[in-house]
Amino acid sequence: MRDDVESVREPGVRDLESVSERFRTVFEDGPLGIVVIGADLRFSDVNPAFCELLGYRKAELLGRSLDEVTHAEDVESTAGMAQQALQADGSYRHADKRLLTKSGATVWVSLLITFVSNDDSGPPYGLAMVVDINERKRTEQALRTPLETSRALLNVPIGSAILMELDGTIVALNSTAVERLPGDAGDLLGRSIYDLMPPETARSRKAAVRCVEASAEPERIEERTSDGWFITRIYPVLDDSGSVARVALYIRDITRLRHAEAALEESQSTVGALLTGTP
C-alpha cells in the first residue's frame, strides 16, 4: 500500500521532503552554528553546535535576542546588517562579529544572516549561521609581531600554513601543508611555492603577494578546485621597522561550509514548517 501511495505523490513533494530532511540533518548534526530568529532578532530555534559554541543550554537561549550574546562594540553593526538582510528578502549578509559565551568570554565568528518571507504571509523569519574563527583572528593579530613569533604560529590548527619570502621561497610550513603538497618537509623548504602550483594559480598568487607587500594589508582569495572550496589568506609579516619582510599563507577548506550554505538556501521555503512541526 505504501508503494502505491509513493507512486502517486507528485515529484515536487518528494523533492521537498528530501530537501527538508537534508536541512534537518545539517541543523541537528552539522558542525556549524545555526539559529532561527525573528525580525526582532530573538531566537526561536538554535542548534546544538551554536549552544556548544556559546556554552548555553538550548532552553537558556530560546526567546533571547541576538543582541544579548553579541559583544557591546558589535551590537549596532550586527543589528544594521540584520536590517539590511531583512529588507533584501532572500539575500545574504555576511561579516565577522564578536559573540559572548555564557562565561563572558569573547569568541570571533563569521556571521551570515538571511531573512525569508513566510508563504502564509506571516512575519519573516531569519536564518543565521555562525562559524568559529577565533583561531584565525588570533593569528591575524599575532602576525603583526616579530618573525620568530610568526614561525610558531604555523602550528595553529586552522588548515595549511606556509611562511615564505616575498619571492615565494618556502621558509616554514605546518604539518597540514606538508600533507597537501608533494614531498616531505625537507624537500619543500627552500623551494618556490609557485613551482608547486598550476601556472594560472601561481600568477594570481604572485599578484596577490605584490598587493600585500605594497599595502601591508591582508589579501583574501576564495576558489573552487577539484578537491572542494578553499579560502587562501595572505598576511604580511612585518619586521621591526614596520616593513613587509615576508608573507604567511593560510589555506582553509570551506567545502563543508559551502555545502551547509547550499542546504540552507535550498531549504528556505520549508524551514518554517520544519521548525514548528507543521507537516
Side-chain angles (χ1 to χ4, degrees):
M1 180 63 180
R2 178 174 175 79
D3 292 340
D4 293 338
V5 173
E6 290 289 341
S7 65
V8 298
R9 295 169 73 185
E10 295 181 7
V13 174
R14 293 196 298 272
D15 293 342
L16 192 62
E17 290 179 348
S18 176
V19 170
S20 300
E21 181 60 30
R22 287 200 298 274
F23 175 79
R24 176 50 63 182
T25 299
V26 169
F27 187 87
E28 294 293 345
D29 303 326
L32 308 177
I34 304 173
V35 301
V36 181
I37 55 177
D40 59 359
L41 302 188
R42 293 192 177 278
F43 301 126
S44 59
D45 204 356
V46 294
N47 76 337
F50 185 76
C51 294
E52 182 178 356
L53 176 65
L54 297 189
Y56 285 96
R57 291 181 290 108
K58 182 174 182 176
E60 294 176 308
L61 288 171
L62 294 181
R64 298 185 68 175
S65 170
L66 178 61
D67 291 346
E68 297 179 55
V69 295
T70 299
H71 191 283
E73 295 178 4
D74 288 348
V75 168
E76 185 176 349
S77 60
T78 300
M81 184 178 76
Q83 185 63 31
Q84 291 176 5
L86 180 61
Q87 294 172 351
D89 186 28
S91 67
Y92 289 94
R93 292 295 183 270
H94 170 263
D96 293 348
K97 299 294 181 182
R98 286 167 291 181
L99 299 183
L100 299 175
T101 67
K102 185 176 181 179
S103 65
T106 298
V107 57
W108 276 97
V109 301
S110 177
L111 176 65
L112 181 149
I113 299 178
T114 182
F115 277 88
V116 183
S117 297
N118 274 322
D119 294 336
D120 59 2
S121 300
Y125 61 88
L127 293 173
M129 182 165 60
V130 298
V131 181
D132 184 353
I133 59 169
N134 227 33
E135 290 290 351
R136 194 195 88 199
K137 285 295 183 178
R138 282 200 292 265
T139 299
E140 289 178 6
Q141 179 63 32
L143 274 172
R144 296 184 178 275
T145 60
L147 301 180
E148 291 75 15
T149 304
S150 299
R151 291 193 184 95
L153 289 167
L154 292 175
N155 293 320
V156 174
I158 61 172
S160 299
I162 302 170
L163 182 67
M164 68 184 202
E165 304 286 2
L166 296 177
D167 64 1
T169 301
I170 299 173
V171 177
L173 69 173
N174 68 353
S175 58
T176 305
V178 172
E179 292 173 1
R180 298 194 65 88
L181 294 173
D184 57 33
D187 296 330
L188 294 169
L189 293 177
R191 292 189 63 181
S192 172
I193 187 68
Y194 303 126
D195 293 340
L196 307 174
M197 299 176 175
E200 183 61 33
T201 302
R203 282 192 291 271
S204 69
R205 294 298 183 277
K206 287 179 182 178
V209 169
R210 287 195 294 269
C211 289
V212 172
E213 181 182 7
S215 66
E217 294 294 332
E219 287 284 317
R220 178 184 184 277
I221 302 169
E222 182 174 332
E223 60 191 344
R224 187 176 188 178
T225 72
S226 58
D227 296 326
W229 285 94
F230 295 88
I231 288 180
T232 299
R233 286 184 167 86
I234 305 175
Y235 296 104
V237 179
L238 308 181
D239 60 20
D240 294 337
S241 66
S243 300
V244 178
R246 293 172 174 170
V247 293
L249 272 65
Y250 286 85
I251 306 165
R252 187 163 62 96
D253 187 340
I254 60 167
T255 304
R256 287 195 300 179
L257 172 61
R258 287 289 171 263
H259 287 167
E261 288 178 356
L264 285 172
E265 185 172 1
E266 190 179 20
S267 305
Q268 284 178 348
S269 62
T270 62
V271 173
L274 279 170
L275 298 178
T276 57
T278 305

